[in-house]
Amino acid sequence: MYKITKHDKIIVPVALMGIIIFVCSLIDIYLGIGTLIGGVAVFFGWPALKELHAPFEGTKEEPPSFLDTTVLQGNFHIPHNLPIPYAVLDIRGHILMYNQKFAEVFSDIEDAKQSIDKLLKQSGAGETTLIQVAEKYFEGALDHCDVIEENGAVGTVLTMTLVDATKKQQLAKLLEDQQTVVSMIFLDNYEEVVDNLDESRWPILSALIDRKLNQLAQDVDGVIRKLEKDRYFFLVKKGKLSQLKEKKFDILNDIREISVGDHIPVTISMGIGIGGNSLDVAMQNAKAAIDLALGRGGDQVVVKEGESFVFYGGKAGEMGRNARIRARVKADALWELIGESSGILVMGHKNGDLDSMGSCMGICAIARAMDKRCNIVMDEVGVGIRRLWDKMLASGNYQNLTIKTSDALKMMDAKTLVIIVDTHRKSMVESPQVLEVAKRIVLFDHHRKSTDAIDQAVLVYHEAYASSTAELITEMIQHIGKKVKLSNIEADALLAGITVDTKNFCVKTGAITFEAAAFLRRNGADSIRVRLLFQNDMDAYKAKASAVKDAELFMGNIAISVCPANVENSTLTAAQAADELMNVTGIKASFVCCKVGDTVYISARSFGEINVQRIMERLGGGGHLTVSGAQLQGVVLEEAKEKIRHAIQEYLKEEA
Ligand SMILES: [Mn+2]
């Protein structure tokens, strides 16, 4: 190939000029002389002109680069025999030269561009960056290298080296895939299923379940062992777990479809723990995962790796199991803990509602039966309980019942029992300071378990199947028996708690809910008085109506709306509007936002087909399959709506 040298740079223009002058003088001798003078002037004047411009060129941003490879080749010797892929680039990443090995990596040298761009962006001095070329992996590195040109100018080039890391990557992947994943499988409702099933059919049902689970283990090359009639232990390699994830654990559906006659569907919960190279950690994670799966109502898979939880399934409603036995056991334990304590502090969630306040009052009634001092920690009277609060003050018996955080902290000692009701989330309790100082904690809640749960409680009664915390507390009062004397206001408050959380005994209402209501009625509750505790004022009613009117439909059957800001209790109004929207034919879920101060509160409702808990969890909230909420800081309502739409889309994508 012919290469232009410095010598050519003079010869070619001079020769051209000569021809032009010759042609010009053929046409007219004076034109020829003129052109000659012009040519001579340009020839001698050019270097001077160039020099004049030189300072400007020098101030350009980019340093000189060696696009002229001849210059480079004269000064820079590429080590052709280097056993690794090697290339020299100009400062902008254009390839100037490369060795044979480099050519072997990139069959088309244009393909190297992508890798070079990645290295330019990510590689610091002395660092390597992993790059993938087809099936292979390389640790790529760039280095700066000064090159001196003939005229003494110093320029910079980049050297690029690639070290084959394919084996290393393969081994790392293999090592990760080989990790043992521990998993526990529980049948959620075995007792209830066999209760309603002819005895002769039990073995068939059991065998069918075993077969499905064994098939699952076989498909992914795992092992499964039955520990008890409704418990299994399942081991699988991490590499194979992805197969199950890809199918979104359709084993949940397979099991639910098993039918050997007239019985409720069997559902399973699966807790999967990944623990890196530690089996112990994997086991701990599996336990935490199965706890969460059951706490969230069962019929789902929870995978725990490190601190992260991933959820699959969770479509069926909550299952109530062995409720009566549990309530009795918990009531006994509570009785003993109260007996040992020096005093009791009880608190619900922030912005308390009738369920949390009713539950607090129920606990106070239990404590009173044991002559223990009991106070409700409450810094502000929530709007949802204002009517109840007025009645309490009017009765004259409850002036000293509630105390502020500062006073609570003063009276706390090591034997103070702190009872949390109607929430299990650290961030949601009325007074996080009291929770922090508390040495002995008891927890009563009915919300589906979320990840920031209070974990140091000595007694937990957390039943996602229960309609309300007031129902759980009432159940325990029933078990403790005649020792507990409820006042009319306390009975009203507990019944109001159940009424508000069940939407007038519509949702999540089981036989136990009615039994609890009947018990409260016998002990002085009055449904008309309870009804009055809910009465809305006119402004709130109008706000609710406006939220319903302004609702927009998203994806055809999901209602999204906002609640006007001018009402006193807009969070409650938003929740009521979300409930109201569910009465509209065709609506499968509703989301209503309202803004209080700098916070946007979201109330979400559904009938269960759409899991609003999972959607709200994406926005940092939580709750139940059908009733959930979230709070967003520092956003305007439009942004909040957009975030909801996005979360719904993400959720539906995951479900698809
Ligand atoms: Mn509640």
Side-chain angles (χ1 to χ4, degrees):
M1 183 183 131
Y2 184 79
K3 282 179 183 153
I4 295 172
T5 63
K6 272 203 166 170
H7 203 60
D8 295 338
K9 282 184 182 170
I10 300 168
I11 299 284
V12 172
V14 168
L16 269 170
M17 186 69 76
I19 293 166
I20 293 167
I21 294 167
F22 177 69
V23 172
C24 287
S25 30
L26 280 185
I27 300 165
D28 185 315
I29 189 68
Y30 293 109
L31 183 63
I33 293 168
T35 319
L36 180 66
I37 295 168
V40 170
V42 168
F43 185 76
F44 288 104
W46 186 250
L49 259 175
K50 212 176 162 187
E51 229 155 78
L52 207 68
H53 278 276
F56 293 102
E57 278 180 9
T59 58
K60 275 188 191 165
E61 271 179 330
E62 285 179 40
S65 73
F66 289 83
L67 276 172
D68 182 355
T69 48
T70 51
V71 176
L72 191 64
Q73 273 163 357
N75 297 281
F76 195 92
H77 298 283
I78 188 150
H80 276 290
N81 294 327
L82 210 64
I84 58 169
Y86 183 90
V88 179
L89 322 170
D90 76 7
I91 201 83
R92 278 162 295 182
H94 298 121
I95 297 177
L96 303 179
M97 55 177 86
Y98 48 85
N99 70 355
Q100 183 56 34
K101 290 270 180 196
F102 195 85
E104 283 165 17
V105 173
F106 300 100
S107 47
D108 182 355
I109 213 71
E110 278 296 304
D111 294 347
K113 241 193 124 15
Q114 237 180 337
S115 305
I116 292 169
D117 283 347
K118 192 174 174 192
L119 285 179
L120 281 171
K121 260 184 226 138
Q122 298 180 4
S123 239
E127 285 172 14
T128 60
T129 301
L130 194 69
I131 54 181
Q132 191 180 359
V133 184
E135 304 282 276
K136 294 195 144 196
Y137 290 90
F138 295 93
E139 283 168 350
L142 289 179
D143 200 6
H144 286 79
C145 186
D146 290 342
V147 182
I148 301 164
E149 217 181 332
E150 269 171 28
N151 61 8
V154 179
T156 305
V157 291
L158 297 171
T159 59
M160 172 175 167
T161 50
L162 296 174
V163 176
D164 194 335
T166 312
K167 269 270 158 56
K168 204 161 128 188
Q169 279 309 109
Q170 282 169 347
L171 283 173
K173 173 94 171 53
L174 193 69
L175 203 65
E176 183 166 353
D177 285 352
Q178 289 294 314
Q179 286 173 10
T180 303
V181 172
V182 175
S183 126
M184 329 256 280
I185 302 175
F186 285 17
L187 304 184
D188 294 325
N189 50 357
Y190 184 82
E191 299 286 344
E192 283 74 20
V193 175
V194 296
D195 252 9
N196 299 317
L197 197 62
D198 189 61
E199 208 168 314
S200 65
R201 288 183 168 270
W202 292 2
I204 308 171
L205 178 71
S206 193
L208 280 172
I209 296 169
D210 288 356
R211 193 160 82 195
K212 290 266 187 211
L213 289 173
N214 280 320
Q215 187 61 45
L216 170 85
Q218 224 172 55
D219 287 350
V220 292
D221 198 19
V223 290
I224 193 161
R225 287 291 172 272
K226 192 169 185 168
L227 303 179
E228 284 169 48
K229 60 186 189 315
D230 56 354
R231 285 175 186 214
Y232 300 80
F233 186 71
F234 174 43
L235 293 175
V236 64
K237 295 265 192 258
K238 191 179 176 188
K240 295 284 185 178
L241 186 66
S242 47
Q243 275 183 29
L244 297 175
K245 285 183 181 170
E246 266 162 36
K247 290 196 207 155
K248 300 204 190 303
F249 292 93
D250 55 4
I251 182 74
L252 292 176
N253 297 325
D254 289 353
I255 298 283
R256 210 183 303 124
E257 279 160 15
I258 294 176
S259 170
V260 293
D262 203 14
H263 61 81
I264 54 170
V266 184
T267 64
I268 60 167
S269 293
M270 212 164 159
I272 297 178
I274 302 171
N277 292 319
S278 162
L279 276 178
D280 186 39
V281 174
M283 186 66 201
Q284 282 169 19
N285 283 347
K287 276 185 185 156
I290 190 77
D291 276 354
L292 196 57
L294 294 171
R296 285 162 57 94
D299 186 33
Q300 56 191 287
V301 178
V302 178
V303 182
K304 182 169 194 241
E305 180 168 19
E307 288 308 303
S308 89
F309 288 95
V310 185
F311 305 101
Y312 298 86
K315 276 214 168 141
E318 285 85 3
M319 305 286 165
R321 76 194 92 84
N322 298 340
R324 304 229 137 244
I325 302 160
R326 290 197 67 170
R328 195 184 64 229
V329 172
K330 303 289 176 180
D332 290 347
L334 177 67
W335 191 252
E336 255 164 55
L337 284 169
I338 291 178
E340 288 167 9
S341 70
S342 61
I344 293 136
L345 290 173
V346 54
M347 60 179 169
H349 49 79
K350 284 204 177 74
N351 203 359
D353 57 12
L354 285 167
D355 189 29
S356 70
M357 190 60 184
S359 304
C360 285
M361 293 179 73
I363 295 283
C364 288
I366 298 174
R368 200 171 53 226
M370 296 194 78
D371 287 329
K372 290 284 177 181
R373 183 192 167 85
C374 179
N375 290 100
I376 299 173
V377 183
M378 188 166 70
D379 288 313
E380 245 174 85
V381 181
V383 207
I385 59 168
R386 201 154 284 172
R387 268 163 226 286
L388 174 64
W389 182 244
D390 291 344
K391 285 186 74 177
M392 286 164 69
L393 290 185
S395 78
N397 296 327
Y398 299 96
Q399 263 82 358
N400 303 319
L401 186 67
T402 62
I403 54 170
K404 302 226 179 286
T405 297
S406 50
D407 297 324
L409 290 172
K410 270 180 228 153
M411 68 164 61
M412 282 175 80
D413 60 42
K415 295 185 84 181
T416 302
L417 190 65
V418 173
I419 302 179
I420 313 287
V421 293
D422 206 30
T423 184
H424 64 280
R425 300 179 64 180
K426 288 176 192 155
S427 52
M428 287 288 288
V429 295
E430 172 77 24
S431 170
Q433 296 99 305
V434 168
L435 179 67
E436 193 138 310
V437 179
K439 293 274 183 295
R440 321 200 75 188
I441 299 168
V442 172
L443 184 69
F444 297 116
D445 191 21
H446 69 114
H447 295 97
R448 279 180 146 203
K449 240 187 186 171
S450 64
T451 46
D452 69 332
I454 296 166
D455 45 16
Q456 69 274 42
V458 287
L459 172 67
V460 180
Y461 190 14
H462 190 169
E463 280 298 354
Y465 78 86
S467 71
S468 52
T469 312
E471 178 189 307
L472 294 178
I473 305 288
T474 307
E475 245 186 301
M476 286 193 296
I477 293 175
Q478 281 174 272
H479 285 294
I480 294 170
K482 291 228 175 344
K483 283 166 271 182
V484 182
K485 300 261 182 299
L486 289 173
S487 71
N488 284 356
I489 289 187
E490 285 160 354
D492 279 355
L494 283 164
L495 186 59
I498 298 175
T499 312
V500 74
D501 272 23
T502 55
K503 323 265 170 255
N504 281 319
F505 297 91
C506 284
V507 294
K508 301 195 64 162
T509 306
I512 294 171
T513 318
F514 285 115
E515 279 166 33
F519 172 82
L520 292 170
R521 180 77 188 89
R522 281 199 300 277
N523 284 273
D526 181 284
S527 51
I528 301 289
R529 284 200 309 262
V530 167
R531 189 76 197 81
L532 291 175
L533 295 178
F534 299 122
Q535 232 176 19
N536 284 318
D537 57 35
M538 197 60 189
D539 285 343
Y541 197 84
K542 279 184 181 163
K544 185 168 93 180
S546 132
V548 172
K549 175 173 73 75
D550 294 339
E552 54 188 75
L553 285 186
F554 181 59
M555 308 190 84
N557 48 26
I558 298 171
I560 302 178
S561 190
V562 298
C563 197
N566 56 2
V567 281
E568 194 184 8
N569 187 6
S570 42
T571 52
L572 186 67
T573 312
Q576 290 175 348
D579 287 331
E580 201 68 42
L581 282 166
M582 295 308 293
N583 291 333
V584 180
T585 312
I587 297 288
K588 287 185 175 168
S590 65
F591 298 82
V592 180
C593 326
C594 67
K595 190 156 185 172
V596 180
D598 202 30
T599 309
V600 171
Y601 294 83
I602 306 167
S603 288
R605 302 287 185 268
S606 81
F607 287 126
E609 193 178 326
I610 291 172
N611 187 335
V612 288
Q613 180 192 24
R614 296 259 299 274
I615 297 173
M616 287 295 98
E617 275 173 351
R618 287 176 181 279
L619 301 176
H624 290 273
L625 177 70
T626 57
V627 181
S628 271
Q631 301 177 10
L632 301 173
Q633 304 289 342
V635 293
V636 297
L637 284 167
E638 270 313 311
E639 287 170 312
K641 276 163 78 176
E642 191 48 47
K643 279 182 186 237
I644 294 170
R645 286 187 209 110
H646 185 74
I648 295 171
Q649 276 169 336
E650 291 285 302
Y651 162 79
L652 291 175
K653 223 183 280 166
E654 209 180 271
E655 285 295 292

